[in-house]
Amino acid sequence: MIKKTLITSVVAICLPFGAIAQDDGDDARPFGLAGLLSNGNKQDLEPIQLSAGMPLTNEPWTLQSGTYYEFEIQGDGSQELALIGSDFFRAIWIDEIVVEGLEIRPLGLDSIEFDEAGEMEIGFIAIKPGSYHLMIPGSTGDTQRLEITIQ
């Protein structure tokens, strides 16, 4: 009886892996075993420029839920500047933030601030559809705000 239960358990565990390993030639699946983190599911976004009086980006971002995105934030040090967007940061899953080769894997994020010139890269998966924004706190101009739509 124990032998039969053991065999049944092994088969039940191995069945999903057999389905994954099977190559039926269907190229509709855009990613491999890494799932949403696969290179086939990754897109680069226009960098955000943090500079006194300059627009953050040239165009709004339109993102697809379930897609992995990477973007850079480049601060030129012309002024101490921050970006806020708690609603946006709660609508995504942040994989990592890279600052000068240091990888940070946060559970969440509310804002980012540059006290001096530098760069950071953020990798994330868009999750919750809706309209969001990132903006420089206290600013009122449209160029100091990045409109983001997750579809």
Side-chain angles (χ1 to χ4, degrees):
M1 184 66 178
I2 293 175
K3 187 175 181 181
K4 185 176 182 180
T5 304
L6 180 62
I7 291 172
T8 304
S9 298
V10 169
V11 170
I13 290 170
C14 293
L15 277 176
F17 294 109
I20 291 172
Q22 181 182 6
D23 183 13
D24 59 2
D26 183 11
D27 293 331
R29 186 175 55 228
F31 38 81
L33 293 176
L36 294 177
L37 299 177
S38 296
N39 281 337
N41 191 44
K42 188 179 294 186
Q43 292 185 20
D44 290 328
L45 296 170
E46 175 186 4
I48 293 176
Q49 305 293 326
L50 280 181
S51 182
M54 298 299 293
L56 295 176
T57 59
N58 293 321
E59 296 181 15
W61 290 350
T62 301
L63 312 176
Q64 295 297 317
S65 181
T67 301
Y68 186 96
Y69 294 95
E70 287 183 348
F71 71 97
E72 290 182 354
I73 301 174
Q74 302 165 342
D76 68 0
S78 59
Q79 187 175 350
E80 189 174 312
L81 293 171
L83 278 178
I84 58 172
S86 59
D87 287 345
F88 172 67
F89 289 126
R90 286 177 180 82
I92 64 174
W93 173 76
I94 299 173
D95 177 37
E96 68 180 2
I97 299 172
V98 181
V99 180
E100 294 184 19
L102 302 172
E103 296 178 1
I104 304 159
R105 293 186 177 18
L107 291 175
L109 194 59
D110 185 67
S111 64
I112 296 167
E113 185 171 333
F114 280 67
D115 293 340
E116 55 188 49
E119 281 188 14
M120 75 171 50
E121 182 178 283
I122 299 178
F124 70 94
I125 295 176
I127 302 292
K128 185 178 174 187
S131 296
Y132 307 97
H133 64 270
L134 291 174
M135 63 179 283
I136 295 174
S139 64
T140 56
D142 290 340
T143 62
Q144 305 298 291
R145 180 181 176 108
L146 170 58
E147 297 295 331
I148 303 167
T149 302
I150 299 177
Q151 300 176 337

